[in-house]
Amino acid sequence: MAEVESVWDYPRPPRVEASDELVRVVLGGEVIATSRQSLRVLETSHPPTYYLPRTAFVDGALTSARGASVCEWKGRASYLTVSGGGRSEEGAAWCYPTPSPGFEALVGHVALYPGRMDRVEVAGEVVEPQPGGFYGGWITSRVTGPFKGSPGTMGW
């Protein structure tokens, strides 16, 4: 069992670290992604966001979606529609095709909102989405908060 981490010990700006934990994503009743080669982005007050290699997704699971956003640290994000088992979630994933310096490891990786999937697992544990719907953190028993995203935390 991994040691419990406080999100208040995570750095700002965020750190990117490799993870060999088994990650599984289910949508529409089908496993659409599996990987032991993800990246965790760790930022103060946020549960980790896992980025999976594009190659971890089954063919057809990811297509371009409208919209983009800018992260002060990682740069310009492009959005993706996630599909599986006859279900599609527009803009439920994002990537950084040309990230800011220091975040080049994210090229070729995709993050997603766990709350928009049927189920997301890390090391066999079902992930709880970060509160609020704006952030894409993945809460497991490995991390402790409080977490940004709950009502009243936007000014943190």
Side-chain angles (χ1 to χ4, degrees), residues 39-141:
L39 298 172
R40 296 190 327 145
V41 173
L42 309 176
E43 181 177 357
T44 305
S45 79
H46 296 270
T49 299
Y50 284 73
Y51 286 74
L52 283 65
R54 270 189 188 265
T55 56
F57 291 83
V58 299
D59 288 343
L62 300 173
T63 54
S64 294
R66 294 174 300 180
S69 62
V70 176
C71 169
E72 66 182 307
W73 309 112
K74 297 180 291 290
R76 184 177 172 85
S78 297
Y79 286 85
L80 302 162
T81 295
V82 183
S83 301
R87 183 173 156 202
S88 290
E89 288 288 331
E90 185 174 351
W94 66 95
C95 61
Y96 292 93
T98 54
S100 298
F103 293 91
E104 295 88 353
L106 297 179
V107 172
H109 288 74
V110 174
L112 50 81
Y113 291 104
R116 296 190 52 196
M117 303 295 109
D118 291 353
R119 187 173 70 253
V120 175
E121 300 171 1
V122 174
E125 181 180 351
V126 177
V127 169
E128 180 182 329
Q130 183 173 2
F134 178 75
Y135 301 107
W138 298 23
I139 300 172
T140 65
S141 60

